[in-house]
Amino acid sequence: MQFFHILHRTQQRLWKSRTDPSAEGRPFIFRVEAFRDAASAMEQEKEILLEMIHNIQNSQDMRHISEGEREELNLTANRLMGRTLTVEVSVETIRKKKQESLLHATKMIDEIVNKLLDDLEDAKIRLMSLYGACTSDVPAGPIDQKFQSVVIGCAIEDQKKIKRRLETLLRNLENSEKSITLLEHQKSSVRQSCNSKQD
């Protein structure tokens, strides 16, 4: 009986906190929201760490060190990647039925990502048009109207996740382009050097 008495009093305090801003239960609601915000921040931190480790493994600096140093750095990076992946943080977004558009938006992005190797430049243009559809800034080029209508139908938290994913993809594409350009420049320099020696 004592348990149900305590439960009843707790429910009364929580109900009062929803209707009375000065109620003692209100800080508890703030703690719940702060808890979700902290978990969401940890989700983002995990994404950032994984991206940083991936960029280190694929950076141009790795080409300019000895094979032994490169192997040691890769082992360290893989170990850090593994430890980062052991942390599981998931914040479920509370959606209304009409906001179940995240799956559709994800599918549209995945379709472009799956064709990256076929045409890198076209994929970049299409991803930029998707990104332009979910940012308040003036887009640098055309926006995908269909994707924009899908994003508008998503919950706010889902919209943020979609935008973060597109930002990450575009950053990785830019880094890949820089790597390809530098590699082509190095090949060109080697060919010129070889031609000079033959002359």
Side-chain angles (χ1 to χ4, degrees):
M1 290 296 292
Q2 183 69 14
F3 170 80
F4 290 107
H5 177 66
I6 295 172
L7 178 61
H8 179 67
R9 288 181 58 189
T10 302
Q11 287 175 328
Q12 283 184 321
R13 284 199 298 269
L14 286 175
W15 177 253
K16 185 180 180 182
S17 69
R18 292 173 184 267
T19 56
D20 181 6
S22 61
E24 61 179 10
R26 191 168 182 78
F28 182 74
I29 294 177
F30 288 153
R31 285 183 63 184
V32 170
E33 290 306 314
F35 171 66
R36 280 182 59 85
D37 290 343
S40 181
M42 288 182 67
E43 267 189 324
Q44 294 180 45
E45 179 66 12
K46 180 180 178 180
E47 292 173 7
I48 291 170
L49 287 172
L50 291 174
E51 185 181 356
M52 287 173 65
I53 295 169
H54 175 77
N55 288 339
I56 289 171
Q57 287 179 307
N58 294 279
S59 71
Q60 287 299 317
D61 292 335
M62 293 287 278
R63 303 174 187 271
H64 303 140
I65 58 178
S66 68
E67 186 176 343
E69 289 175 319
R70 186 160 54 248
E71 183 179 354
E72 184 178 349
L73 280 174
N74 273 321
L75 286 172
T76 302
N78 288 332
R79 180 175 61 82
L80 293 174
M81 180 82 76
R83 288 183 64 81
T84 304
L85 290 172
T86 61
V87 179
E88 292 290 341
V89 185
S90 178
V91 180
E92 295 296 327
T93 302
I94 301 170
R95 304 180 183 91
K96 299 176 183 178
K97 285 188 177 181
K98 64 180 181 180
Q99 292 179 324
E100 295 288 344
S101 302
L102 177 63
L103 188 61
H104 190 190
T106 301
K107 186 178 179 181
M108 292 176 74
I109 298 172
D110 288 342
E111 286 176 355
I112 298 175
V113 171
N114 291 335
K115 296 178 181 178
L116 269 174
L117 295 178
D118 297 334
D119 192 337
L120 188 66
E121 187 59 32
D122 180 65
K124 182 181 178 182
I125 292 171
R126 292 180 64 190
L127 286 173
M128 288 180 68
S129 72
L130 298 191
Y131 181 73
C134 58
T135 178
S136 57
D137 299 331
V138 178
I143 66 173
D144 190 310
Q145 300 288 345
K146 182 179 178 182
F147 185 75
Q148 187 176 53
S149 65
V150 172
V151 172
I152 290 173
C154 293
I156 297 298
E157 290 182 13
D158 287 338
Q159 291 180 16
K160 292 178 181 178
K161 289 179 180 179
I162 292 168
K163 184 178 178 182
R164 283 206 310 272
R165 186 186 178 196
L166 288 169
E167 286 173 342
T168 300
L169 286 169
L170 287 169
R171 275 199 305 273
N172 288 338
L173 273 178
E174 186 177 351
N175 290 334
S176 298
E177 286 181 330
K178 287 179 180 177
S179 298
I180 292 171
T181 301
L182 184 58
L183 187 60
E184 289 299 321
H185 177 71
Q186 289 174 339
K187 287 181 179 178
S188 177
S189 297
V190 170
R191 283 196 297 267
Q192 289 176 0
S193 177
C194 290
N195 291 336
S196 297
K197 287 180 181 179
Q198 289 176 353
D199 293 341

